[in-house]
Amino acid sequence: MDVKSRNYLLMNRQALEKDIKTSYIMDHMISDEVLTLQEEERVKQQNTQKERAAMLINIILTKDNNSYRSFYNALLHEGYRDLAALLQDGIPAISSGNGKSSMDGMTSYVKTVLCEGGVPQRPVVFVTRPKLVDAIKQKLCCLGSDPGWVTVYGMAGCGKTVLTAEALRDHQLLEDYFPGGVHWISVGKQDKAGLLIKLQNLCSRLEHDSTLSQRPPLNIEEAKDRLRLLMLRKYPRSLLILDDIWDSWVLKAFDNQCQVLITSRDRSVTDAVAGNKYEVHVESGLAHEKGLEILSLFVNMKISELPEQANCLVRECKGSPLVISLIGALLRDFPSRWEYYLKQLQNKQFKRIRKSSSYDYEALDEAMSISVEQLNDNYKDYYKDLSVLPKDVKVPTKVLCILWDMETEEVEDILQEFVNKSLLFCDRNGKSFHYYLHDLQLDFLTEKNRNQLQELHKNIVNQYKKYYKLNTPVPSQEDCMYWYNFLAYHMAGANMQKELRDLMFSLDWIKAKTELVGPAHLIHEYVEYSSILDQKDSTVRENFQEFLSLNGHLLGRQPFPDIIQLGLCQPETSEVYQQAKLYAQRETGTFYLEWLNKKSLKNLYRLVVRPHKDAVYHACFSKDRQRIASCGADKTLQVFKAESGERLLEISAHDDEILCCTFSADGEFVATCSADKKVKIWNSRTGQCKCVYEEHSEQVNCCQFNNRSGQYLLATCSNDTFIKLWDLNKKYCRNTMMGHENSVNHCRFSPNDEYVASCSTDGTVKLWEARSGNELKSIEIKDFFKNADEQPDDVEVLVKCCSWSRNGDMILVVAKNKLLLFDVKTCGLLSQVIISHHSTIQYCDFCPGDELVAVALSHCSVELWNIKSLSKVAYCRGHMSWVHCVTFSPDGSLFLTSSDDQTIRIWETKKVCKSSDAVLKSELDVVFHNGEVMILAIYNQKHLQLINGNTDSVIMQTAAPESPISCCCLSEDLKFAAFGQESGTIKVLQLLDGKVLKSQEAYRTSVQHCRFTSDCQTLISSAHDSVIQVWNWQLSECVFLRGHKEAIKDFRLLENSKLLSWSFDGTVKVWNITTGNTEKDFACHGGAVLSCAVSPDGSKFSSTSADKTAKIWSFESSSVLHELKSHEACVRCCTFSPNNKLLATGDDKGEIRIWDTLTGTLLHFCSPVTVDEGEPTHGGWVTDLSFSPDSKMLVSSGGYLKWWNVTTGESLQTFYTNGTNLKSIHVSPNFKV
C-alpha cells in the first residue's frame, strides 16, 4: 500500500474504530476479492465492535492499494460518508494493470493522454463495474508490445463504450504499455465514403504538430498507408480504439501491425484481420442493486428514498445500462413521471423512450432494429421465427432443427451468425448448444412481429406434430424438457383450442410431464390458459386442475404413484375419473382399486404442495396473496406461487433448522431466523441476501415484520430471553427488549405497529412499546392453569403463540390446550376455551374478520373456532403428522397449514366453514354380512353411527351420552353393539332401535377396547389399567382377569373360551375366560408388546415389541420358536398367512418384512424406493397387515394403503386416502373389499 494511503488510515484510525460496523463493510470487500473468508473469521472472533474494527484495519494495513479503494467504497455504500471523506485524499492515484479501477484520483498525465486521444469523458451518472473493467485491462496487458486486437463485444446498450473508456483511466497501464498514447475513433455504421472521412480526420489529428502540412489522403488505401507510417514512426507503442465496429471490411483499413481495441456487437468482426486476438464479453444485464444506484444518481435521491416504482422500472429494463440511463435521464427532467415511464416499458412502447444526449439513436427501438436490418433476407426470416421463444429460456438446438426441418450443423451455422452479431446468446451444455435472447431483444421482436405471432406459434406446433406424430418426447432427448414446458404455451399462442384441450386433458401427458417437472407448472398452465380451455365448458378444466392441486404433493415424489389409481379416486362425474376408468379397463395384469364410499368425502383444501424434504415449521402469505414463503428442518427457504405451487425461489439459507419466515409489508423482502442464532433478510424476488444479524446468542424462534409499507421494522425473539427490533434501512438493532426470564417463543406487531407482543416459556405474555422498547404490560398466563392448592411458581406453562385482533383491542394467547382472549387495555381475561384434552395447540392466528380463529394441533389437525360464540366451526384433517403453523391470508379468504409431514396445505376459509366439523374416530368395528359392509363408528366422540359402507348411508345414530365415547364393537349377527366411554362406563345397545339394554360402570379410566364373544352374550373389555373384564351382560355376571403388571395393550379371543392378551409389561398371557385363571404366561419382550397374531392352525402365535424384535411362540411348548431381529424401529404389527407358512411384520420406519414361519428366515424386505433421506417409506408407521386368502398378496396400512406381491416382495398398488394416518384394516373374507 502507498505510504500516503497508509498514513491516512493510521491518522483516522481512532474515528474509524469508534463508528464502523464491520460485517457489512466486509461483505463489500469480500465481493471485491480483497478480503478472504479466513480474514473475515478473524475479525468476527473479536469480542466488541471496536475490537472488530481495529482488527479489520490491521488487516487492511498489510494489503495493497486495492484494499484501500475497496474499503473506501464500502464506507460510501454503507452510509459512512463522513468517514469516507477522511480517507478521500489518501486514495492511491495509480492502479496496477490488473487492479481495480479507481473512480477518483486520476493523475494529470492520464487526463492529458485521454484528452489528446479523444477518449469520451465519464457519463454524468457512472456506476462501477470493476470486474469487466479489470477484464479489459487484463486483455490490453496481454497484447504486450506485439500488434494485435482486443474485441469488447456485447448487445446494444450493454455499456461497452463506457467500460472501455474507464479501463483507460489507469496511469500504470498507459505508462507501461501504451506510452505512445491512445487514439479513439468512433466509427459506427459506415459506407466507404464515410470511412474515408473518419480516416482523414484521424490522420489530421495525428499530424497536428507536424511542420509540414500534408493534404488529406484521397482514398482508403492511401489513408491506411499514412496511418501505418504515423503509428510506426510517430506513435510507436500506442493504442488505437475503434468504437462501434459493424463490418469486418472496415477493420482492414486499420490492419497495419499496431495495437487496436475495438467495441462491437459482432464477436466475429476480427475474423478478417491478422494478429493476436483477445475477447471480452460484456454481459447484457446489470445487477438489480446497480440499476437502482444509477436511477438514484440521476434523480439525486438515496436508494432507500426511491419510490416503489423504481424496483419495477429496473426489472422492466432487464438490466440494460442503456435503458436504465435513458429512463434516469428522462426522470431527471420529469421527476413526476415514474408511473408513466413504467407503463411505457411494460407496454413495450420503446419509441416513447427517447434519446439521451450520450447515445447515437433516436429511440430504443432504433438501437435494436439497426442490428437486425444488417442481416440478409433469409436470415431475417429465421430471426423472426425466434419471436415466439419464451422469455428467460435456453432453447436446445434440436428444437430449432425441428422448427426449420434442418440438420443440426445447418442450424448451428445460422444461429452462430446471430450470436456473432450479439443478436442471440449461446450456452454450451456439454456437447450440445442452448440459445437464448436477451429480454429486450425478445420484447423488440415480439412488438415488431405482433401481427404474425399466431402464425409463428402455429408453425412451431405443426412442426412438432410432424416430427413426433403421435409419440411424446422421451427424457433422453435434448429437446424433451422444452416441449414438456412450452408446447402448451405455443398452442395457446396459436389459439389452437382443440389441440390444447387434447394435450392438457390427457392423463398420458400429465403423467409424463409431472414425472419430469412436477405438477406446479401444469397447474399454472390450467390457470394461464383457462380462457382457451374453457371456451366450451369450464368443468373439465376444473376437474383436472383440482386433481393436480390436491394430488400434486404425491406426483412430485418418488416412486411415482400410479396416476390411473389416483384418477380412480376422483368423483365419478369427473372427466379425470372417466378417463382413468377407461385406462384401467384397457390395462391387463395391473391391479386397480375402486373407492366405494368416496362420495361422502369432501376435499376442503385448495392446493397441497411439498416444497421441503423435511418438516415444515412455518409458512406465510405475501400481502398480495400471490406468493407463499416457507421454511423448515431442511434449512431452506422456499418461495412459491400460491395459485399453483410453482417454485419461485429455493435458498439454502442457514446452517441449522429455520424456525420462522415472514414477508415485509410490501413483499420486497423475506426474513428468516434459525437455530444457528442468525437472522437473515432476503430479496424475495432475486434471493439475494441483503443482510445478516448475529446479535442473538441462542436460537432465534420467531421473526415478524411490521404491518405498514415504507418502513422496514423487524422483531425477533430468541431462547436468549431477548426480543430485538431491527431497522432494515439503518442496518442495526434499534432496540433490545429485556424482561422475560426464559426463552421467548413468539412475537408479533400490533396492527398499528405501535406495540410488540411476546410469549415466553416463563409463562407470561408481555406488551412492549415498539418505539422505545419499554415494557408496558405483563400477563401471567400460568395463573390460569394452577389448581387451588398450587403456587404460581409451581406451574410450568409454555406460552406458544399470540395473535392480535384486527383493531388491536384484543390479543389471543395459546398455552397447552387453551385459547385465552385478553383485553389489551385492562389485561383482563375476556374468554377462554379448552380446545382438546388429547393434544396441545402449536399455533394460532386471528382471521382478519376477527370472529374466526384457526388453531394448529399436535394430533395432525386444524380447527376453526368462532371466538365470540366460543364454538368450533370446522375441523380440518389431511396432514399426516404434527401441524406446526396455521396462517390466514391478509384478506382472510384463505389459510395455510404446515406440518411435519413435509406438506403445506392451502384451504378456502368459506368452503371449510360451510362443511361439517364432524369427524369419525379411528376406533371402529366392521362386519361383512351378506355382501354388505356394516361399519360401527364413533361420530364426534358423542354418537354411535351404524353405516352401510356400500351406500355410505347412516342406518342408525344414537343419542349423545353424558361422557365421550372411546371405543365400540359390533356383534357378528348385527343385533347388538357395545361402546366404552372415557368415564369408564360400558354399554350394550340394540341395533334395531339404538336402545341401551345394559350399562356397567366398569373402570375408573377410559375404556380402550371391547369385543363380543361369538355367542354375543359376553363382552370383554380393557381400559388404561392392567385388568381385563369378562362381562356376561345378559346374566349381569363379571369375571376379572388379573395378572398383568402394566396396562393392557390389546387382547384376542381364541377357541374354547380362551383369551390371548398382551401388555406394556412385556408379557403375553392365555386366559380361561370362564374361570378367570391364567393358563399360560409368556415373558416375551424387554419392551412393551405392541401386537400379537395367532396362526390359522392355532399352534403358535407371534409377538412384536418396542424393543425392535418380533418372536414366534409355540402354544404347546410355551417356548420361543424364532426371534426375528432385523427391524430398525418398533415393530408395530404382525399377521400370519392363511397357509401358516408366512409371517408379515411392520415397523415404525414404514418397513415390512415377510418371514418363513418354519425356519424364521427373512424372505422379503418390502419397502418402496425412498429418495429423500429420512422420509418414512410407508408415509409413517405400518399400523396393520392382512394376507389374501391364497397367501399371495399382502395389504398394509400406515400413511396410506399398499398392496404387495408376497412372492416377489414388490409393491402392486398404493391407495392414498384423504385423511390422517390409517389405524387398522378390515378385509372381507374374499379379499375384494
Side-chain angles (χ1 to χ4, degrees):
M1 185 183 294
D2 286 357
V3 174
K4 181 182 176 185
S5 303
R6 184 181 179 83
N7 287 340
Y8 267 84
L9 263 181
L10 292 169
M11 268 182 354
N12 297 293
R13 179 176 191 143
Q14 193 172 354
L16 291 164
E17 289 176 1
K18 181 180 176 185
D19 287 339
I20 64 171
K21 285 196 173 183
T22 55
S23 58
Y24 308 109
I25 302 290
M26 290 193 293
D27 286 347
H28 286 282
M29 296 182 73
I30 289 169
S31 69
D32 286 345
E33 299 175 6
V34 299
L35 193 73
T36 66
L37 293 173
Q38 291 79 7
E39 288 166 339
E40 182 191 37
E41 197 56 41
R42 278 170 57 198
V43 174
K44 285 183 176 178
Q45 286 170 359
Q46 307 307 308
N47 294 324
T48 66
Q49 178 180 312
K50 188 173 181 181
E51 287 172 356
R52 288 192 285 273
M55 175 58 74
L56 178 60
I57 291 166
N58 286 340
I59 291 170
I60 294 169
L61 285 166
T62 65
K63 292 179 174 287
D64 61 7
N65 291 341
N66 294 328
S67 301
Y68 189 98
R69 292 191 195 90
S70 178
F71 181 53
Y72 170 80
N73 287 328
L75 290 173
L76 281 176
H77 272 285
E78 291 305 320
Y80 299 108
R81 295 186 181 275
D82 52 339
L83 295 178
L86 298 176
L87 301 183
Q88 187 167 358
D89 291 339
I91 296 172
I94 302 169
S95 57
S96 63
N98 51 9
K100 308 288 176 199
S101 81
S102 167
M103 285 189 62
D104 301 298
M106 272 206 312
T107 61
S108 57
Y109 166 70
V110 171
K111 289 176 182 176
T112 302
V113 169
L114 299 189
C115 184
E116 289 177 352
V119 177
Q121 293 185 352
R122 276 199 192 113
V124 177
V125 170
F126 175 71
V127 174
T128 57
R129 293 164 81 184
K131 286 186 180 177
L132 283 168
V133 171
D134 287 349
I136 296 169
K137 288 184 191 179
Q138 188 183 358
K139 298 303 181 188
L140 287 172
C141 294
C142 289
L143 286 174
S145 55
D146 298 326
W149 308 79
V150 174
T151 305
V152 179
Y153 71 95
M155 68 175 280
C158 66
K160 303 181 290 293
T161 300
V162 172
L163 291 167
T164 300
E166 189 62 24
L168 300 175
R169 293 185 179 93
D170 188 313
H171 184 113
Q172 203 75 46
L173 177 73
L174 299 179
E175 191 172 67
D176 292 353
Y177 292 93
F178 308 111
V182 296
H183 312 288
W184 186 290
I185 175 170
S186 295
V187 181
K189 181 69 183 161
Q190 299 292 343
D191 58 13
K192 289 191 176 181
L195 179 62
L196 180 58
I197 292 170
K198 294 277 182 185
L199 284 165
Q200 288 171 342
N201 290 339
L202 178 61
C203 290
S204 172
R205 200 166 84 200
L206 296 178
E207 294 167 341
H208 72 280
D209 59 349
S210 291
T211 51
L212 293 173
S213 175
Q214 296 192 45
R215 65 168 175 80
L218 298 176
N219 56 52
I220 290 174
E221 282 303 315
E222 185 184 342
K224 181 179 176 181
D225 262 1
R226 191 178 299 183
L227 183 60
R228 178 174 57 81
L229 291 170
L230 283 167
M231 298 298 282
L232 181 67
R233 295 174 183 173
K234 192 172 179 184
Y235 297 99
R237 295 190 67 201
S238 64
L239 177 67
L240 185 61
I241 301 107
L242 306 176
D243 185 31
D244 197 20
I245 294 294
W246 282 81
D247 300 297
S248 55
W249 66 266
V250 170
L251 292 189
K252 290 181 180 177
F254 301 92
D255 188 8
N256 47 25
Q257 295 294 299
C258 59
Q259 296 176 313
V260 186
L261 182 151
I262 66 169
T263 71
S264 178
R265 304 181 191 189
D266 189 344
R267 178 185 181 183
S268 63
V269 78
T270 55
D271 289 352
V273 293
N276 297 325
K277 295 169 189 173
Y278 304 94
E279 292 180 346
V280 178
H281 179 218
V282 178
E283 293 292 339
S284 52
L286 283 173
H288 190 81
E289 291 299 320
K290 289 281 185 191
L292 288 175
E293 192 178 340
I294 291 175
L295 280 183
S296 70
L297 291 168
F298 264 113
V299 297
N300 197 23
M301 296 167 74
K302 292 180 182 176
I303 292 178
S304 59
E305 294 170 352
L306 291 172
E308 288 182 19
Q309 292 95 332
N311 280 301
C312 302
L313 269 171
V314 172
R315 275 196 291 274
E316 287 297 330
C317 290
K318 324 296 183 191
S320 165
L322 162 65
V323 188
I324 295 171
S325 298
L326 287 173
I327 295 288
L330 290 165
L331 286 167
R332 182 176 54 199
D333 296 334
F334 304 101
S336 61
R337 291 190 180 178
W338 290 88
E339 192 65 40
Y340 172 76
Y341 290 124
L342 176 58
K343 282 181 181 173
Q344 300 313 316
L345 272 177
Q346 289 170 335
N347 297 328
K348 318 296 183 230
Q349 297 296 317
F350 300 130
K351 283 186 171 65
R352 297 195 186 175
I353 300 166
R354 305 303 294 175
K355 168 179 178 176
S356 99
S357 57
S358 62
Y359 205 64
D360 295 340
Y361 303 104
E362 278 299 318
L364 182 56
D365 63 325
E366 190 182 331
M368 288 187 273
S369 66
I370 195 163
S371 296
V372 180
E373 293 306 315
Q374 299 309 306
L375 297 170
N376 69 42
D377 290 343
N378 283 345
Y379 279 47
K380 283 179 188 174
D381 287 337
Y382 290 130
Y383 196 63
K384 181 168 68 177
D385 286 340
L386 306 184
S387 305
V388 293
L389 294 185
K391 277 191 177 181
D392 303 318
V393 174
K394 295 178 180 178
V395 181
T397 313
K398 179 78 180 291
V399 172
L400 297 162
C401 291
I402 293 170
L403 172 61
W404 294 331
D405 198 10
M406 288 182 183
E407 295 296 321
T408 302
E409 291 76 12
E410 292 178 272
V411 169
E412 286 177 352
D413 288 346
I414 293 169
L415 297 175
Q416 190 58 42
E417 181 72 14
F418 301 151
V419 171
N420 287 340
K421 290 182 166 40
S422 296
L423 290 169
L424 189 69
F425 297 93
C426 177
D427 246 13
R428 191 176 191 113
N429 185 5
K431 292 180 180 178
S432 64
F433 293 98
H434 285 66
Y435 298 90
Y436 62 100
L437 288 160
H438 186 275
D439 282 1
L440 283 172
Q441 291 168 325
L442 190 55
D443 287 344
F444 166 71
L445 270 179
T446 305
E447 187 64 28
K448 184 180 179 184
N449 303 306
R450 181 165 296 282
N451 297 330
Q452 301 171 62
L453 292 180
Q454 188 166 321
E455 279 305 309
L456 293 171
H457 277 294
K458 193 171 185 177
N459 184 40
I460 200 168
V461 174
N462 288 334
Q463 289 298 102
Y464 166 85
K465 288 164 69 178
K466 176 182 171 184
Y467 184 85
Y468 279 107
K469 299 182 174 66
L470 296 175
N471 302 315
T472 51
V474 295
S476 59
Q477 296 168 312
E478 65 165 317
D479 61 325
C480 165
M481 291 299 289
Y482 181 87
W483 298 117
Y484 280 117
N485 279 320
F486 301 110
L487 183 56
Y489 157 78
H490 289 301
M491 287 179 173
N495 200 27
M496 300 171 81
Q497 185 196 1
K498 182 183 182 303
E499 288 84 349
L500 185 62
R501 286 174 65 91
D502 290 346
L503 181 79
M504 296 195 63
F505 299 157
S506 158
L507 283 179
D508 283 336
W509 180 257
I510 291 171
K511 179 179 187 295
K513 178 161 179 169
T514 50
E515 280 186 14
L516 279 173
V517 299
H521 192 255
L522 253 174
I523 297 170
H524 167 74
E525 287 178 327
Y526 285 123
V527 176
E528 184 81 5
Y529 309 134
S530 59
S531 60
I532 302 172
L533 295 169
D534 294 353
Q535 280 181 16
K536 288 184 178 178
D537 181 13
S538 66
T539 308
V540 177
R541 193 260 311 159
E542 288 167 357
N543 289 164
F544 277 90
Q545 187 176 329
E546 183 179 75
F547 171 63
L548 277 176
S549 296
L550 303 184
N551 294 285
H553 62 299
L554 304 174
L555 294 168
R557 69 165 67 181
Q558 296 287 344
F560 195 81
D562 188 325
I563 199 164
I564 298 172
Q565 181 59 64
L566 286 177
L568 289 169
C569 295
Q570 296 303 293
E572 292 184 9
T573 55
S574 166
E575 178 68 25
V576 180
Y577 170 82
Q578 290 164 19
Q579 221 180 100
K581 190 154 189 176
L582 286 173
Y583 276 92
Q585 288 167 348
R586 286 202 300 263
E587 291 276 343
T588 54
T590 310
F591 175 66
Y592 288 112
L593 302 148
E594 184 78 88
W595 190 348
L596 295 180
N597 69 328
K598 62 188 170 190
K599 287 180 184 174
S600 64
L601 293 168
K602 295 175 184 174
N603 281 313
L604 300 180
Y605 26 87
R606 173 175 176 165
L607 179 69
V608 186
V609 291
R610 188 167 171 265
H612 294 271
K613 295 179 180 177
D614 209 332
V616 189
Y617 292 145
H618 197 83
C620 59
F621 287 96
S622 61
K623 197 163 188 177
D624 61 6
R625 215 189 75 174
Q626 299 301 306
R627 294 175 294 158
I628 291 170
S630 64
C631 60
D634 64 1
K635 308 174 192 174
T636 68
L637 167 67
Q638 308 279 349
V639 180
F640 54 91
K641 290 182 181 177
E643 184 76 49
S644 64
E646 189 176 357
R647 181 174 286 143
L648 300 172
L649 275 183
E650 179 177 19
I651 306 168
S652 295
H654 286 268
D655 300 325
D656 208 334
E657 296 183 335
I658 306 177
L659 304 176
C660 188
C661 59
T662 177
F663 275 105
S664 60
D666 60 5
E668 282 299 309
F669 300 106
V670 177
T672 56
C673 61
S674 165
D676 67 6
K677 310 175 191 176
K678 295 176 186 175
V679 178
K680 297 188 180 183
I681 313 297
W682 309 87
N683 184 306
S684 70
R685 300 187 189 278
T686 66
Q688 184 181 2
C689 185
K690 177 179 168 65
C691 48
V692 181
Y693 301 130
E694 299 184 63
E695 294 188 24
H696 283 293
S697 58
E698 297 289 340
Q699 79 171 29
V700 189
N701 296 313
C702 180
C703 55
Q704 289 287 328
F705 272 110
N706 63 323
N707 299 299
R708 288 180 294 190
S709 297
Q711 186 183 20
Y712 297 113
L713 292 180
L714 180 74
T716 61
C717 60
S718 162
N719 281 3
D720 62 11
T721 75
F722 301 139
I723 303 106
K724 288 182 180 286
L725 200 62
W726 312 85
D727 187 330
L728 267 61
N729 291 329
K730 296 183 180 175
K731 300 184 179 177
Y732 60 83
C733 176
R734 196 171 92 168
N735 286 315
T736 298
M737 305 171 195
M738 297 174 279
H740 283 294
E741 296 172 4
N742 211 327
S743 303
V744 188
N745 304 308
H746 192 249
C747 57
R748 273 198 183 178
F749 279 96
S750 62
N752 62 6
D753 292 336
E754 290 183 10
Y755 308 108
V756 174
S758 60
C759 307
S760 170
T761 307
D762 64 12
T764 66
V765 171
K766 292 184 184 289
L767 304 184
W768 313 81
E769 190 178 58
R771 182 170 294 179
S772 65
N774 294 332
E775 182 181 330
L776 292 175
K777 296 174 182 178
S778 183
I779 306 172
E780 293 283 345
I781 303 298
K782 57 188 177 184
D783 288 352
F784 299 95
F785 286 85
K786 71 178 194 294
N787 297 322
D789 57 345
E790 287 181 315
Q791 296 299 316
D793 292 342
D794 299 333
V795 183
E796 282 193 9
V797 176
L798 189 157
V799 186
K800 272 280 182 81
C801 175
C802 63
S803 183
W804 294 83
S805 62
R806 182 171 52 178
N807 59 10
D809 290 347
M810 298 180 289
I811 190 163
L812 186 71
V813 179
V814 161
K816 291 189 176 180
N817 60 349
K818 276 187 184 179
L819 278 178
L820 302 107
L821 188 66
F822 292 94
D823 183 290
V824 170
K825 287 182 181 176
T826 66
C827 292
L829 181 67
L830 298 173
S831 56
Q832 63 175 312
V833 60
I834 295 174
I835 297 293
S836 168
H837 291 284
H838 303 288
S839 65
T840 57
I841 303 173
Q842 300 295 106
Y843 206 87
C844 72
D845 197 29
F846 245 126
C847 181
D850 272 359
E851 287 195 7
L852 276 185
V853 171
V855 291
L857 301 169
S858 59
H859 70 227
C860 318
S861 64
V862 173
E863 293 179 0
L864 296 188
W865 286 72
N866 185 307
I867 203 66
K868 289 185 178 178
S869 63
L870 299 183
S871 59
K872 183 162 67 172
V873 175
Y875 180 89
C876 309
R877 287 182 301 170
H879 283 294
M880 312 287 276
S881 190
W882 281 35
V883 184
H884 288 289
C885 167
V886 56
T887 313
F888 281 100
S889 61
D891 62 0
S893 62
L894 303 174
F895 64 94
L896 60 78
T897 54
S898 66
S899 165
D900 259 357
D901 67 9
Q902 307 175 10
T903 68
I904 296 165
R905 291 169 192 257
I906 293 99
W907 313 70
E908 292 185 47
T909 310
K910 280 186 180 176
K911 191 175 178 182
V912 168
C913 291
K914 283 178 184 175
S915 74
S916 164
D917 69 339
V919 57
L920 300 180
K921 276 177 68 75
S922 54
E923 286 78 10
L924 49 80
D925 199 13
V926 178
V927 170
F928 298 94
H929 182 73
N930 296 333
E932 298 284 323
V933 184
M934 306 306 292
I935 303 159
L936 186 69
I938 303 165
Y939 173 77
N940 270 4
Q941 294 188 301
K942 299 174 182 176
H943 309 275
L944 274 188
Q945 282 189 348
L946 183 65
I947 302 166
N948 184 316
N950 301 68
T951 63
D952 208 42
S953 55
V954 177
I955 299 169
M956 182 274 298
Q957 179 172 312
T958 64
E962 60 284 349
S963 170
I965 301 173
S966 53
C967 63
C968 63
C969 66
L970 280 169
S971 64
E972 288 180 15
D973 58 8
L974 290 177
K975 289 183 179 179
F976 307 107
F979 63 89
Q981 295 174 250
E982 289 186 6
S983 62
T985 301
I986 302 171
K987 294 183 180 180
V988 178
L989 54 87
Q990 192 167 267
L991 278 179
L992 188 64
D993 54 9
K995 180 184 176 184
V996 175
L997 301 175
K998 283 286 175 73
S999 176
Q1000 179 182 342
E1001 293 181 9
Y1003 299 95
R1004 294 181 180 177
T1005 59
S1006 176
V1007 184
Q1008 293 301 295
H1009 302 285
C1010 59
R1011 280 190 197 97
F1012 283 102
T1013 54
S1014 55
D1015 61 6
C1016 307
Q1017 294 184 12
T1018 303
L1019 187 70
I1020 302 170
S1021 60
S1022 66
H1024 273 309
D1025 62 20
S1026 60
V1027 179
I1028 299 170
Q1029 292 194 25
V1030 182
W1031 176 36
N1032 187 320
W1033 59 274
Q1034 292 187 336
L1035 300 176
S1036 298
E1037 294 175 353
C1038 196
V1039 175
F1040 297 94
L1041 310 182
R1042 305 179 194 274
H1044 284 294
K1045 294 177 181 175
E1046 290 185 40
I1048 309 295
K1049 180 69 175 74
D1050 207 346
F1051 56 82
R1052 176 181 174 144
L1053 280 159
L1054 305 175
E1055 294 178 351
N1056 304 320
S1057 301
K1058 302 290 193 294
L1059 181 89
L1060 187 75
S1061 67
W1062 52 98
S1063 163
F1064 287 96
D1065 62 11
T1067 67
V1068 175
K1069 298 182 187 293
V1070 178
W1071 307 83
N1072 184 315
I1073 60 173
T1074 307
T1075 64
N1077 295 330
T1078 307
E1079 297 202 346
K1080 289 187 184 292
D1081 197 344
F1082 300 87
C1084 290
H1085 295 275
V1089 181
L1090 300 178
S1091 71
C1092 286
V1094 178
S1095 63
D1097 63 7
S1099 65
K1100 47 189 170 284
F1101 74 92
S1102 61
S1103 62
T1104 70
S1105 171
D1107 65 9
K1108 304 180 185 177
T1109 67
K1111 296 180 181 180
I1112 301 176
W1113 302 80
S1114 165
F1115 277 120
E1116 188 178 345
S1117 64
S1118 300
S1119 60
V1120 64
L1121 299 175
H1122 304 291
E1123 186 171 1
L1124 315 175
K1125 281 187 168 180
S1126 71
H1127 282 283
E1128 297 173 3
C1130 295
V1131 190
R1132 182 126 332 243
C1133 56
C1134 58
T1135 187
F1136 283 95
S1137 62
N1139 64 9
N1140 289 296
K1141 292 180 180 179
L1142 305 171
L1143 176 74
T1145 55
D1147 66 24
D1148 286 2
K1149 201 177 173 186
E1151 296 173 351
I1152 297 163
R1153 287 165 171 76
I1154 299 174
W1155 312 82
D1156 185 313
T1157 56
L1158 190 64
T1159 63
T1161 307
L1162 177 63
L1163 299 176
H1164 295 295
F1165 169 68
C1166 303
S1167 173
V1169 179
T1170 178
V1171 173
D1172 303 331
E1173 188 179 345
E1175 180 192 340
T1177 54
H1178 204 290
W1181 298 349
V1182 181
T1183 54
D1184 204 1
L1185 296 158
S1186 184
F1187 279 98
S1188 61
D1190 61 5
S1191 303
K1192 291 181 178 179
M1193 202 181 288
L1194 177 72
V1195 61
S1196 60
S1197 65
Y1200 34 81
L1201 290 170
K1202 284 193 81 71
W1203 279 258
W1204 306 88
N1205 182 320
V1206 171
T1207 309
T1208 63
E1210 294 176 352
S1211 172
L1212 293 170
Q1213 193 53 271
T1214 304
F1215 184 87
Y1216 298 93
T1217 57
N1218 297 16
T1220 185
N1221 291 294
L1222 307 170
K1223 189 169 183 179
S1224 58
I1225 306 169
H1226 299 266
V1227 182
S1228 64
N1230 62 6
F1231 205 66
K1232 288 189 175 179
V1233 182

